[in-house]
Amino acid sequence: MSKVRVRFAPSPTGMLHIGGARTAIDNWAFARAQGGDFILRIEDTDPERSTEENTQIILRAMKWLGLDWDEGPFFQMQRLEKYEKALNYLIDKGAAYPCFCTKEEIQAKREAGNKSGYDRTCRDIPIDEAKARIESGESHVWRLKVPLEHDNIEFDDAVYGHMSFPIDVMDDLVLVRPDGVPTYNFAVVVDDSDMEITHVVRGDDHLSNTPRQILIYELLDRDIPTFAHLSMILGPDGKKLSKRHGSTSVEEYRDRGYLPEALVNYLALLGWSLDDKTTIIPKDVLCKEFSLDRITKKDAIFDETKLNWMNGVYIREMGIDEFVKRAKPWFDSVSPDAWKAAPLIIERVEKFEDIPEKLGFLSWGPELHLDEKSTNKVLKKEGAKEALAAAREVIANKDWDIDSLQNACQTLCEKLAIKPRKFFQPLRVAVCGNMVSPPLFESIVLMKREDVLARIDYAIDLAL
């Protein structure tokens, strides 16, 4: 068996979409599991939308995910002579011909009921006439001369199984545009053949392109790779994943504080499984165990809640030092010393963007930003003022360490016969602004005594 060679071939027309990232991960993992090669190719034949900036965005996303490639990146616009050579092969073979129909003519035929808009008008123009028109400078495209006597196009997809497409519904597709730039279906065949790709693993939105590409392979007399088409990624509502579902690009998830290893793990499980029960799959295991036979045809549902849970697992497993190091920008956005609270929240954080929300109270200084619900439910309850006044006395006079403050408050709570919940909850709201916060006294000692006292004084004025 020949060495496995796969490729990921994004178009640089925007950021790397989650769907594209899943395709890249599957190709990369399959190559690593098979001891093969992973090739990166940039399909930049759309001059209006393909930009260098987008290319760099894609490359950064790939590197951030840790998807190292063995060859490339290759660029289609640097391979135009390869497509010209392949086209000339088809022309000499009588398998390609020039078409002089204008866009307006084709559109008119489409509006008149012709589905493709093209009825093979130019297919049988005499060679001498066609050459003369080309030499005179008449605009034209090159089309594939589909052999109408050909049997159905059939192939065995590694995911979908045996597939069959009738030849009589296939139009004479355009191979090369008037400007000499190849179309997708033509370029991808030449590229994959030249690069000796053995397995084409891609989204099932390309399934309808496959019979056309197989026909091109055949007419070019080149080997046909194995195809494996991945199911669509849908949002929780069962519709195609899009902006309305939230973040959709790798870069957005990176900027929200997701870990690349967690995102790779989660995306790999969209349409593939290790054993139907394992969810945490480190990259080294993925690279050892990934196989095409465990990819399912069933559409995958992107569940951000599950991704959040998985990301939280990876955060907790990394330990405090690594947590502080990798989440530094988010800690710094709170205060220079906010990282000291890392042990208090590492068990509560699912993604780094949660940090400012959970530790924001550390940056308020003497001010208190109260949550309305907590104010009404806690501070406006009878006994809150008494509890806060008593707690203030402790905060003002005891040593500024966790044990001293906590023990003193617990002793006072017992002395005043106040239920712990009635005592500590008002204090938590007065210090942190709401009923939910990291451990209370561990949080208090990270702040200045005078700031804590100022917040308690403000809360006392509001309390009953």
Side-chain angles (χ1 to χ4, degrees):
M1 181 179 176
S2 60
K3 184 179 184 181
V4 166
R5 288 175 61 82
V6 295
R7 48 70 166 180
F8 176 55
S11 297
T13 55
M15 295 181 178
L16 181 57
H17 188 273
I18 285 298
R22 190 271 301 263
T23 299
I25 290 165
D26 286 4
N27 275 279
W28 173 80
F30 180 58
R32 296 293 171 258
Q34 296 293 321
D37 294 326
F38 176 55
I39 292 93
L40 178 60
R41 185 172 74 228
I42 305 297
E43 299 191 337
D44 57 347
T45 57
D46 184 344
E48 295 182 2
R49 300 174 61 206
S50 298
T51 68
E52 174 61 23
E53 179 183 4
N54 288 335
T55 297
Q56 292 306 316
I57 288 173
I58 291 171
L59 295 181
R60 284 197 301 270
M62 293 282 288
K63 291 175 182 176
W64 180 75
L65 289 170
L67 306 182
D68 55 318
W69 52 90
D70 302 297
E71 298 176 19
F74 298 107
F75 295 85
Q76 288 185 322
M77 290 303 289
Q78 297 175 7
R79 291 175 44 79
L80 294 180
E81 74 282 355
K82 302 291 186 182
Y83 311 127
E84 182 179 4
K85 181 179 179 180
L87 175 64
N88 287 332
Y89 183 89
L90 293 176
I91 293 172
D92 293 342
K93 191 177 181 180
Y97 65 93
C99 173
F100 303 94
C101 295
T102 65
K103 291 182 179 179
E104 293 75 18
E105 290 171 338
I106 291 176
Q107 181 60 31
K109 291 177 182 178
R110 187 175 292 118
E111 292 174 355
N114 187 308
K115 186 176 180 180
S116 70
Y118 181 65
D119 54 8
R120 297 189 169 97
T121 304
C122 302
R123 183 179 173 110
D124 296 318
I125 293 177
I127 294 177
D128 291 341
E129 179 185 339
K131 286 183 177 180
R133 294 174 70 173
I134 292 173
E135 291 172 0
S136 70
E138 187 171 350
S139 179
H140 63 282
V141 299
W142 286 94
R143 291 183 179 272
L144 186 72
K145 194 169 188 178
V146 174
L148 302 179
E149 71 285 354
H150 195 291
D151 294 332
N152 290 350
I153 302 293
E154 300 190 12
F155 63 97
D156 292 317
D157 189 272
V159 176
Y160 281 81
H162 187 74
M163 306 294 290
S164 179
F165 293 82
I167 196 74
D168 57 6
V169 299
M170 194 177 300
D171 61 345
D172 286 0
L173 67 150
V174 175
L175 300 172
V176 178
R177 304 185 187 98
D179 59 2
V181 177
T183 59
Y184 167 77
N185 280 312
F186 185 47
V188 75
V189 170
V190 176
D191 289 339
D192 287 344
S193 178
D194 285 352
M195 296 174 188
E196 299 181 321
I197 301 301
T198 61
H199 295 73
V200 174
V201 183
R202 59 188 179 186
D204 65 4
D205 53 328
H206 286 293
L207 193 56
S208 62
N209 286 324
T210 305
R212 293 178 171 84
Q213 293 171 11
I214 287 177
L215 187 57
I216 296 173
Y217 275 107
E218 290 179 352
L219 293 174
L220 283 173
D221 296 314
R222 301 194 184 190
D223 293 336
I224 300 171
T226 297
F227 291 93
H229 288 91
L230 310 175
S231 63
M232 297 292 288
I233 297 179
L234 307 178
D237 58 0
K239 297 181 180 179
K240 185 177 179 180
L241 190 67
S242 66
K243 283 289 185 182
R244 69 175 177 275
H245 296 111
S247 302
T248 58
S249 74
V250 170
E251 200 163 64
E252 288 173 303
Y253 280 96
R254 180 202 66 191
D255 293 345
R256 290 176 59 193
Y258 287 84
L259 299 172
E261 50 267 48
L263 194 57
V264 168
N265 186 160
Y266 181 72
L267 292 178
L269 290 176
L270 293 182
W272 176 83
S273 66
L274 178 61
D275 52 20
D276 297 325
K277 61 182 179 180
T278 305
T279 53
I280 302 302
I281 306 176
K283 288 172 71 175
D284 59 336
V285 176
L286 183 66
C287 289
K288 180 180 179 182
E289 302 293 342
F290 190 91
S291 62
L292 299 181
D293 61 348
R294 293 197 64 83
I295 296 176
T296 176
K297 293 184 289 185
K298 184 179 179 181
D299 287 331
I301 303 297
F302 190 91
D303 181 357
E304 193 167 288
T305 300
K306 184 174 181 179
L307 170 60
N308 291 343
W309 168 82
M310 185 176 290
N311 203 66
V313 171
Y314 274 90
I315 287 175
R316 292 189 291 276
E317 289 181 347
M318 69 171 52
I320 294 297
D321 291 343
E322 186 69 10
F323 177 44
V324 170
K325 177 182 176 182
R326 297 178 69 170
K328 186 177 186 301
W330 287 271
F331 281 116
D332 289 347
S333 71
V334 176
S335 70
D337 295 328
W339 61 270
K340 295 178 181 178
L344 309 183
I345 63 171
I346 189 170
E347 296 291 333
R348 303 161 180 253
V349 169
E350 291 187 322
K351 50 193 181 298
F352 293 156
E353 71 172 1
D354 296 342
I355 292 172
E357 178 186 350
K358 294 186 180 302
L359 296 181
F361 65 90
L362 294 177
S363 66
W364 295 345
E367 296 183 2
L368 176 59
H369 301 275
L370 282 167
D371 170 72
E372 183 178 354
K373 180 180 178 181
S374 299
T375 301
N376 294 331
K377 194 169 183 178
V378 178
L379 297 185
K380 296 301 183 181
K381 294 295 183 180
E382 185 177 351
K385 187 182 290 288
E386 178 187 6
L388 286 172
R392 188 192 191 286
E393 189 69 20
V394 171
I395 299 295
N397 296 295
K398 292 297 179 179
D399 291 340
W400 203 244
D401 65 77
I402 297 170
D403 290 340
S404 296
L405 294 173
Q406 188 168 10
N407 292 336
C409 282
Q410 287 174 340
T411 300
L412 185 59
C413 183
E414 294 170 2
K415 180 180 179 181
L416 297 175
I418 300 175
K419 292 181 179 180
R421 182 170 174 272
K422 294 280 188 179
F423 185 90
F424 290 106
Q425 200 167 58
L427 180 58
R428 184 182 299 279
V429 171
V431 174
C432 304
N434 59 62
M435 296 179 290
V436 180
S437 74
L440 179 58
F441 292 97
E442 287 85 342
S443 299
I444 287 176
V445 298
L446 293 176
M447 295 182 277
K448 296 179 180 178
R449 189 193 301 265
E450 58 267 29
D451 289 345
V452 175
L453 292 173
R455 295 185 196 181
I456 294 175
D457 288 339
Y458 180 80
I460 288 175
D461 289 340
L462 294 176
L464 292 178

